[in-house]
Amino acid sequence: MTKGTFPVESFKGLETPFYYYDVNLLKETLSIVKEITHKYGYIQHYAVKANANHRILQIIATAGFGADCVSGNEVKAAINAGFPASKIVFAGVGKTDKEINLALDYNIFCFNVESLPELEVINELAEKKGKTASVAIRINPNVDAHTHEYITTGLNENKFGFSMSSLPKVFAKIKTLKNIELLGIHFHIGSQITEVDTFDPLCERVNELQTQCENEGIILKHINVGGGLGIDYDNPNENPISDFKNYFDLFNSKLELRKGQTLHFELGRAMVAQCGSLVSRVTYVKEGESKKFIILDAGMTDLIRPALYQAYHKIENISSNLPIQQYDVVGPICESSDCFAKDYELNETKRGDFVALRSAGAYGEIMASQYNCRELPKAYLSDSL
Ligand SMILES: Cc1ncc(COP(=O)(O)O)c(C=O)c1O
């Protein structure tokens, strides 16, 4: 999807703001991921947290991927969209009894466990149901993801997972739990990682740990390295598809799998971010003292990433080809952080123009809120407009 290819005529009858998803790009992305993972025998569980739009989930499920969920409702959303329970992993530091019971009832593939008390509760609840829960232990490899601090998750003092040093205690504990089967180990070092080499130390840690486990007679059936591959927010038109080849090749060349082991991934952002845009109408163009403001009908309630982590989204006026001018692009919410960009160059803009905030397919629609009693944004897929 490039500026010129948005179906602006079809947008005219629609209420804004809304998310618009380019199904062709989504399918192309999925087919590239499928081809490479298939080649290496890797298993990709799409991270539902990135975008749980039902139709998007259906398309990803139909393409044959598994799902990575972080709440009971995500597990339900994944099942309802067609993901088989046998391909669902369930992570999260605060799984409630209700959520664990739900996942046990569905017989999901694996719980990614983040603490000792959680292990004990899963064991207890599985015992009550006469079941054995399959688990992977989430480990903090203490690897710096070189990304925004809010989306770095693999450092030692982090609310997620177990530290490397606590592992002997954890493995010993698991041996005492009759209704737990240890399937594997799980990692996730952070999100929006654009330098593929950043995953190098993760592979090294996994290799070290594998040797340690072997020495202690612990057999791991799978290794799950999480997600985190980034996208090009600056150039969505030039780079609509992430560098999946280099990413998976790195794991293939650096991570030493043992015989019979499978390698699992939980990519979210890189699968869906570039296919989505938040489309908004310009409510007003306001002349300030020294600058001009574009006031959109979309705000931080529709796309919170800029306000939450100073994230950048490319902005395009898809109605105008007039000469470039500079604007601050803001939303209507009563917060000064409700600003998408400052001193931004856009084609000259008028009230009523359509503006697209690009690369918004991940952590966009799903993070929308109703603050200021606003309606949640609607969503349209390109194949049904
Ligand atoms: C455990 C886990 N797996 C996978 C993901 C997906 O990450 P990304 O969207 O960066 O691929 C996340 C994101 O926070 C996560 O916490």
Side-chain angles (χ1 to χ4, degrees), residues 139-241:
I139 299 166
N140 281 329
N142 207 20
V143 166
D144 191 347
H146 305 294
T147 184
H148 193 282
E149 62 171 318
Y150 287 4
I151 47 177
T152 291
T153 51
L155 292 171
N156 252 346
E157 277 314 330
N158 204 297
K159 73 172 178 176
F160 303 102
F162 295 92
S163 66
M164 297 279 276
S165 61
S166 68
L167 291 182
K169 209 163 84 186
V170 178
F171 290 138
K173 178 78 189 176
I174 289 177
K175 284 188 186 149
T176 70
L177 300 174
K178 303 255 173 319
N179 296 73
I180 295 285
E181 188 198 358
L182 177 67
L183 271 195
I185 47 178
H186 171 238
F187 306 82
H188 173 75
I189 61 171
S191 202
Q192 183 50 14
I193 298 169
T194 48
E195 294 297 325
V196 162
D197 290 351
T198 304
F199 293 99
D200 227 87
L202 171 61
C203 295
E204 279 168 30
R205 288 289 195 293
V206 174
N207 294 342
E208 286 160 22
L209 203 63
Q210 290 253 59
T211 310
Q212 201 179 316
C213 286
E214 268 168 355
N215 292 342
E216 291 172 25
I218 295 163
I219 296 163
L220 301 170
K221 290 192 186 147
H222 83 245
I223 311 289
N224 182 334
V225 289
L229 180 64
I231 63 144
D232 189 345
Y233 281 98
D234 293 322
N235 306 294
N237 297 327
E238 295 78 2
N239 292 318
I241 297 181

Side-chain angles (χ1 to χ4, degrees), residues 306-352:
L308 189 62
Y309 7 76
Q310 298 92 44
Y312 170 77
H313 285 266
K314 185 179 174 70
I315 305 174
E316 287 171 337
N317 181 329
I318 53 175
S319 303
S320 168
N321 283 317
L322 294 170
I324 298 291
Q325 302 226 356
Q326 255 192 11
Y327 302 95
D328 280 12
V329 184
V330 302
I333 313 296
C334 299
E335 299 286 337
S336 13
S337 56
D338 186 29
C339 173
F340 291 116
K342 290 204 155 121
D343 301 322
Y344 199 81
E345 298 202 331
L346 275 181
N347 296 98
E348 189 180 332
T349 298
K350 300 186 306 298
R351 171 174 157 83

Side-chain angles (χ1 to χ4, degrees), residues 3-35:
K3 175 172 157 148
T5 59
F6 280 92
V8 176
E9 279 308 309
S10 314
F11 289 171
K12 286 188 176 156
L14 302 175
E15 224 180 279
T16 43
F18 57 83
Y19 277 88
Y20 177 71
Y21 297 107
D22 177 350
V23 174
N24 288 339
L25 177 57
L26 175 61
K27 289 189 173 166
E28 203 184 322
T29 308
L30 298 181
S31 95
I32 288 172
V33 176
K34 201 168 163 185
E35 194 187 315

Side-chain angles (χ1 to χ4, degrees), residues 47 49 68 138 186 188 191-192 227-229 266-269 363:
K49 65 170 80 66
D68 159 39
R138 176 163 180 180
H186 171 238
H188 173 75
S191 202
Q192 183 50 14
L229 180 64
E266 299 173 346
L267 295 172
R269 186 189 311 268
Y363 307 105

